[in-house]
Amino acid sequence: MRRINRLIQIVWVICRYRLDEFAPLTLLPLPLRLLFLLAPWRLFPKPQIPRGERLRRALEELGPIFVKFGQILSTRKDLLPEDLADELKRLQDKVPPFASDSAVRIIEESLKSPISELFADFQTYPMASASIAQVHAATLKNGKEVVVKVIRPGIEKTIRLDIALMLLVARLVENYWEDGKRLHPVEVVRDYEHTILDELDLQREAANTSQLKRNFAGSELIYIPEVYWEMTHSRVLVMERIYGVPIADVEQLRKANVNMQLLAERGVEIFFTQVFRDSFFHADMHPGNIFVDVSNPASPRYIAIDCGIVGTLTPEDQSYLARNLLAFFRRDYRQVAVLHISSGWVPGHTRVNEFEAAIRTVCEPIFERPLKDISFGQFLVRLFQTARRFDMEVQPQLVLLQKTLLNIEGLGRQLYPDLDLWSTAQPFLENWMKQRIAPPGLLKAIKQHAPDWIEQTPELPQILYEAFDQLRHLDRYNQANQDSLASLSRAFEKDKQQRRDFWLAGLVLASAAAMAIGEQPLRLTELPWPSVVLAVTGLYLLMRPK
């Protein structure tokens, strides 16, 4: 019954604000077009307010899930008319607040002390209000300025009802639409359910904030505010107050003489650093959560808040994604096609040549062009057409990343439309791949992902470390090879009980080297010689007679 009531509420809001105006009737099948024309909202008069305001008010009334959708759209002026995009910007931090006395009550109940004992000063009127929480300015007893974030009362109930409706629609799509299985709508909604419910726990947000702060400690790229753990609860979060210019206030940034090109490039670098170096990225980077420290305009630094939603990638997804992007940057569309097939993102029976040609058709028009010259809408249409033609499956684990990339690309388009996204990202990815296949990176990967028998042989990581350490520190690879083999051989002869361990070490070395070499172009002048030496060392250990 609650779901039915919620569905009636959604239909009522659509009717009240006449959101049917935004449906592209000419693109709908005839039955759906007739349904829209005969729907009950046609009986409602159109409100005498601008369409952008109607859309914003409707999303606000519908709740957090709809507001977040509007926040994503607000960064895409290339996809929306300007009046709609400008009005949706208000959803970033100007959602109508809830009563201040309710906020005070939640704070006092959560922290088990009256406001007067917790703070030297507390501003009852919120300084910002969003879909899930609102923020109040305050001053601690020691004089430090802070912000107090408070979860909206009763918000979880609304979110769960909306998720239940989304799951119902997702199951219908999956079972009755020909592309339903390929799109994995139920998995996508389930992932989103976990994400948005996690955002309701401010202790989780505090932990995410602390982790991001550690990841970028001392960085010139971005600053993360400090969390006051002793005053943090699942419904209340107290953080250092920051001062900066909102990222969406481009006019103010220009007045401050900020280096806009560097700012845009640093945004790209921050994104790729979080995704590939840390595998821990801020996944709610709409303009309301990003500010700029303009104290040094020639070297502007980002300030990020609201870390309630973060994303992570498995090492396998990291690797496939990085290799796909690098192949794309090099215009090696055949490699992109092969990687999609080998990763299972498209069916194994797909013809590589046909898929390569389709990818080239989609990607070539946007390559090496600044953001202002790219029709993102047209690119998405062609990408979806290609995905459907080749039965490309949606990867639910990458949806959060794709949503974040959509935000980043939208911000870059506003800050510096001449940004060359490709030349900015390619050097970072190439450097990351080189570090990954260097001996320390390989050793780290082996320790983390080797089979269970490594755990049963505790001395094996030390053997591998010694071999890698010698290869890393010697100047000449041939000398490194000889010394490494000699060192391993002496250890082999010293204790015959370790022969099994050396055989395993050889297997790991050879396998790791083969994977590393396989990620590089097979040209003699560019062979990864350290990996070749590792392969020789591994093969020696495998084939050495007992």
Side-chain angles (χ1 to χ4, degrees):
M1 183 59 67
R2 288 198 303 268
R3 295 179 189 178
I4 294 174
N5 289 339
R6 178 58 176 164
L7 184 59
I8 293 172
Q9 181 189 3
I10 292 172
V11 173
W12 165 255
V13 172
I14 291 174
C15 294
R16 180 183 174 191
Y17 290 102
R18 289 299 305 274
L19 298 189
D20 60 296
E21 177 186 340
F22 299 99
L25 293 182
T26 56
L27 301 179
L28 295 177
L30 183 59
L32 278 180
R33 202 181 314 166
L34 292 174
L35 181 63
F36 262 83
L37 292 174
L38 299 175
W41 49 67
R42 310 290 291 188
L43 302 175
F44 285 71
K46 187 178 295 186
Q48 298 303 307
I49 56 177
R51 61 175 187 168
E53 186 177 350
R54 279 191 283 126
L55 178 59
R56 174 182 59 80
R57 286 188 184 182
L59 295 177
E60 287 174 349
E61 285 192 28
L62 289 173
I65 291 178
F66 296 88
V67 168
K68 286 193 171 295
F69 178 66
Q71 289 172 345
I72 296 173
L73 288 178
S74 69
T75 66
R76 305 307 318 205
K77 287 193 174 182
D78 56 318
L79 300 179
L80 288 180
E82 188 171 351
D83 63 319
L84 296 184
D86 288 341
E87 190 65 35
L88 291 180
K89 283 172 61 176
R90 294 174 56 86
L91 296 175
Q92 294 165 8
D93 60 359
K94 293 183 175 61
V95 176
F98 60 91
S100 296
D101 56 348
S102 296
V104 171
R105 177 179 51 80
I106 292 171
I107 294 169
E108 292 182 336
E109 287 178 357
S110 300
L111 303 183
K112 302 189 184 308
S113 294
I115 286 288
S116 58
E117 292 182 9
L118 294 169
F119 306 102
D121 179 62
F122 181 84
Q123 301 295 319
T124 55
Y125 191 80
M127 60 187 296
S129 181
S131 57
I132 285 180
Q134 67 186 33
V135 176
H136 296 259
T139 305
L140 298 180
K141 295 290 187 178
N142 60 9
K144 291 186 177 179
E145 292 185 280
V146 296
V147 293
V148 185
K149 185 173 183 178
V150 188
I151 292 290
R152 285 180 176 270
I155 197 68
E156 182 176 351
K157 180 179 175 182
T158 301
I159 289 175
R160 289 191 181 278
L161 283 174
D162 286 346
I163 291 292
L165 289 175
M166 291 171 67
L167 281 171
L168 176 62
V169 174
R171 290 191 183 101
L172 292 174
V173 168
E174 191 165 293
N175 292 328
Y176 298 105
W177 189 30
E178 59 179 348
D179 286 334
K181 302 289 185 185
R182 178 178 65 82
L183 297 177
H184 299 288
V186 174
E187 287 184 61
V188 171
V189 173
R190 285 293 185 195
D191 281 354
Y192 183 69
E193 178 183 19
H194 294 313
T195 297
I196 196 165
L197 290 178
D198 284 347
E199 195 177 1
L200 299 180
D201 183 355
L202 293 184
Q203 282 189 314
R204 181 181 290 270
E205 178 179 335
N208 294 340
T209 303
S210 296
Q211 181 66 56
L212 281 172
K213 188 173 182 66
R214 283 195 301 274
N215 291 348
F216 286 93
S219 172
E220 296 182 355
L221 301 176
I222 189 170
Y223 180 79
I224 312 294
E226 180 183 356
V227 172
Y228 292 91
W229 277 102
E230 66 278 8
M231 303 183 74
T232 294
H233 183 270
S234 60
R235 296 191 296 167
V236 177
L237 171 60
V238 178
M239 289 193 311
E240 168 192 4
R241 184 173 182 178
I242 54 93
Y243 291 91
V245 177
I247 192 71
D249 194 347
V250 177
E251 184 178 350
Q252 184 64 30
L253 292 173
R254 291 199 174 111
K255 285 181 180 179
N257 295 318
V258 168
N259 185 333
M260 302 299 282
Q261 179 178 355
L262 180 61
L263 185 64
E265 290 173 351
R266 283 185 168 181
V268 175
E269 184 177 352
I270 289 168
F271 171 75
F272 281 97
T273 300
Q274 291 181 86
V275 171
F276 293 105
R277 187 194 70 183
D278 304 328
S279 187
F280 191 85
F281 59 94
H282 192 311
D284 197 16
M285 297 187 74
H286 65 76
N289 292 336
I290 309 295
F291 297 82
V292 181
D293 178 1
V294 297
S295 57
N296 182 4
S299 181
R301 182 166 65 160
Y302 284 86
I303 305 172
I305 62 171
D306 195 355
C307 306
I309 302 178
V310 298
T312 60
L313 295 178
T314 65
E316 293 76 19
D317 284 330
Q318 267 187 317
S319 177
Y320 275 118
L321 188 62
R323 292 164 68 188
N324 267 288
L325 288 172
L326 275 177
F328 168 72
F329 292 151
R330 295 167 179 161
R331 302 198 196 192
D332 187 351
Y333 301 119
R334 185 172 187 83
Q335 177 72 353
V336 175
V338 169
L339 285 169
H340 272 68
I341 295 171
S342 64
S343 67
W345 293 354
V346 294
H349 58 75
T350 302
R351 293 184 178 180
V352 176
N353 290 344
E354 290 184 9
F355 193 37
E356 175 191 359
I359 294 171
R360 180 182 296 109
T361 302
V362 173
C363 295
E364 273 297 314
I366 69 170
F367 202 87
E368 288 186 347
R369 299 175 67 184
L371 291 178
K372 67 179 181 181
D373 294 337
I374 297 172
S375 172
F376 197 74
Q378 184 179 8
F379 172 72
L380 283 178
V381 169
R382 302 195 71 171
L383 189 63
F384 290 147
Q385 289 173 343
T386 302
R388 183 176 185 181
R389 175 185 169 191
F390 290 93
D391 294 324
M392 188 186 302
E393 296 194 8
V394 167
Q395 303 298 312
Q397 75 277 15
L398 298 182
V399 169
L400 200 57
L401 177 70
Q402 291 161 347
K403 172 244 185 189
T404 306
L405 188 56
L406 197 68
N407 277 339
I408 294 293
E409 196 263 351
L411 287 175
R413 189 182 293 270
Q414 292 181 34
L415 292 175
Y416 188 70
D418 291 316
L419 176 68
D420 186 343
L421 186 62
W422 330 121
S423 63
T424 304
Q426 183 173 350
F428 179 90
L429 279 175
E430 288 178 339
N431 184 56
W432 179 77
M433 289 296 289
K434 287 176 183 177
Q435 290 178 352
R436 239 181 117 251
I437 66 171
L442 280 175
L443 179 61
K444 180 180 178 182
I446 290 170
K447 284 183 176 180
Q448 289 180 344
H449 307 294
D452 292 339
W453 46 259
I454 288 185
E455 296 180 3
Q456 301 168 5
T457 313
E459 64 272 26
L460 183 57
Q462 181 62 32
I463 296 171
L464 295 175
Y465 178 82
E466 291 173 0
F468 282 129
D469 191 62
Q470 291 184 42
L471 291 171
R472 185 163 52 93
H473 286 94
L474 293 176
D475 294 330
R476 303 181 64 184
Y477 295 129
N478 58 349
Q479 186 63 41
N481 185 34
Q482 293 172 6
D483 290 351
S484 178
L485 291 176
S487 174
L488 292 174
S489 181
R490 285 194 299 271
F492 184 87
E493 296 298 336
K494 182 177 178 180
D495 188 355
K496 293 184 179 180
Q497 295 299 321
Q498 292 184 347
R499 290 191 178 188
R500 172 179 170 272
D501 298 342
F502 275 91
W503 185 86
L504 295 175
L507 178 63
V508 173
L509 283 170
S511 301
M515 288 188 294
I517 293 172
E519 292 178 349
Q520 300 299 302
L522 294 179
R523 293 188 290 270
L524 185 61
T525 56
E526 297 183 13
L527 277 177
W529 290 108
S531 300
V532 173
V533 176
L534 294 181
V536 172
T537 304
L539 290 173
Y540 171 82
L541 292 173
L542 284 171
M543 295 187 295
R544 194 178 193 283
K546 295 184 179 180

